[in-house]
Amino acid sequence: MGGGCEVDQARLSQALADAVAAGGSEAALAVCRACVEWLPMTGASITMMTVAEVQEPVCATDAVSARIDELQFGLGDGPCVESFRTGRAVLVPDIADPAETRWPVFAAAAAATGARGMFVFPLQVGGARIGVLDCYRDAPGPLDDEDLTGALRTADAAVWSLLDRTHPGGDGPSGSVSAPDGSALVRAEVHQATGMLMAQARLDAPSALARLRAYSFSAGRTITEVADDVVARRLRLHPDGVWSNAGSGHPGQRDARSDDPVDSSSRDDEEKPS
Amino acid sequence: MSTPSAAREQALVTAFVRLADTLVADYDVIELFHGLCGDCVSLLGVDAAGLLLTDQRGTLQVVSASTEAANLVELFQLQAEEGPCLDCFRTSAQIHAGDLATDTRWPRFARLADDNGFTAVHALPMRLRGETIGALNLFHRSRTDMSADELAIGQALADVATIAILSDRNTRERERLTEQLQAALTSRVIIEQAKGVLAERGQIPLDEAFSRLRAHARSSQQRLSDLARTVTDGSFDTAPLLR
């Protein structure tokens, strides 16, 4: 894997979008494969963080990636663990560099795997950490701007793939109109709507975002359009998982369920996530 | 400008002293940005201010705005993929548009700004040692060419925002910058989520939710993003905020 080659961001983005749109349990691995195919990375893996910081390996493109994760979580040390702990990106140009003293125990073990550059990105929905994307390459050197852009886009796609995994939408992503990459995450109203759904249906942030997305699929609308409706109080999610159009949206009519079933898209879109 | 110069000078001194105090303490970068946007309104007589940062994915994200209306315009600007802010970011130079009605550079943006009642916009780059990390946008409701003095003050405020992002010069500067930019964007997301939670629980508008969040963070002496985090993870009882 040589550095210096141009990253084709358009093809990477398309591969990531395809991976997420395909959905299902293979989505996360497809995201990792896109990362290795279109970025100068040797391998990539995704580890999910479940309750109370329990890690669960989700997928890895190769044995070395899997081994790197295993080492870190076994030792409780390393860039991956640090990213888990802090919620921050950790970029290590060369884990074998003697000047790299942050993780002495892990560094010694990692050297045996042949990995040099290690780049870890937290996967989170606001403050809720759901996992990490761990990329490595067998040559030392920092990420250049293009590599970094691509890696961050990969991390955004990985977030969606994990939402699919942990909060599978009954509707499936077929006929998706929203580009399921990171672009929706730019918009303030998506996060505001996520907060409102959290309060309406007593969900955590990842579940609320997953529901927002599942609804946008079933309604054939973009996630930002749906978020706009939630923020404008035209659409709400009830604790039992049922969506309703809020008619005039008069604040205070909190018990009004489906008082104005304007269109069929307000039907139950799936079972409530457990 | 109608503000007597002595009064403005005093206000400027106060603002920069407050910023300096903030920068040497353990501060919340998003809250500092909000303060800066407010300073632009009060010190420079602009009608709205907004701050955008690169997300390092090829997109600018609005991280702070003095009003929800400015927020709207900036979102339009991003959507339109054209406008003074993007030009400012791409060229690392100030962009001045004192009268959007006669300006032909960004027709779609001008129309959207007009829809929101804005006639003039000035965009000032946030530069950090050869890298541009964002831009400060200043909006006016009437035709306005900002004076050299006003632009200098605005640029100084933008520079403070830049310094706030990279407060300490770490040896791993690149990593540090990425960490800080991503952390700022994450804080922004958490705050937006918390606004949504509060707005829903209290059946109040989003900007009112933000005001209460901010007031409580101040009175309880905690970071805005820390408070927002406890709102979103359910560990903070929001009832007192909603009375």
Side-chain angles (χ1 to χ4, degrees), chain A residues 88-91 100 102 126-127 145 148-149 152-153 156 191-192 195-196 198 200 231 233 236, chain B residues 56-57 79 172 174-175 178-180 182 186 189-190 192-193 195-197 199-200 204 206 229 232:
Chain A
R88 296 189 159 205
V90 180
L91 312 178
E100 181 55 75
R102 286 179 284 182
D145 285 356
L148 180 63
T149 297
L152 287 167
R153 288 181 176 171
D156 290 340
H191 306 300
Q192 291 162 356
M196 292 178 78
M198 289 163 70
Q200 286 169 6
V231 167
R233 304 182 204 271
R236 59 184 294 117
Chain B
Q56 298 184 310
R57 295 157 172 78
Q79 265 184 315
R172 297 185 190 89
R174 184 52 199 260
E175 179 175 22
T178 294
E179 278 188 8
Q180 296 296 84
Q182 300 308 316
T186 298
V189 168
I190 296 169
E192 295 300 341
Q193 287 176 353
K195 280 162 67 177
V197 169
E200 175 60 27
I204 53 177
L206 285 160
R229 188 181 293 270
T232 57

Side-chain angles (χ1 to χ4, degrees), chain A residues 13-67:
Chain A
S13 291
Q14 188 57 50
L16 293 172
D18 290 347
V20 176
S25 57
E26 293 300 301
L29 181 58
V31 166
C32 287
R33 286 192 174 133
C35 171
V36 172
E37 183 174 358
W38 297 107
L39 292 174
M41 301 290 185
T42 311
S45 63
I46 290 174
T47 304
M48 197 158 70
M49 177 191 273
T50 52
V51 286
E53 307 214 347
V54 174
Q55 298 96 22
E56 182 189 331
V58 171
C59 61
T61 56
D62 63 324
V64 172
S65 279
R67 176 75 185 136

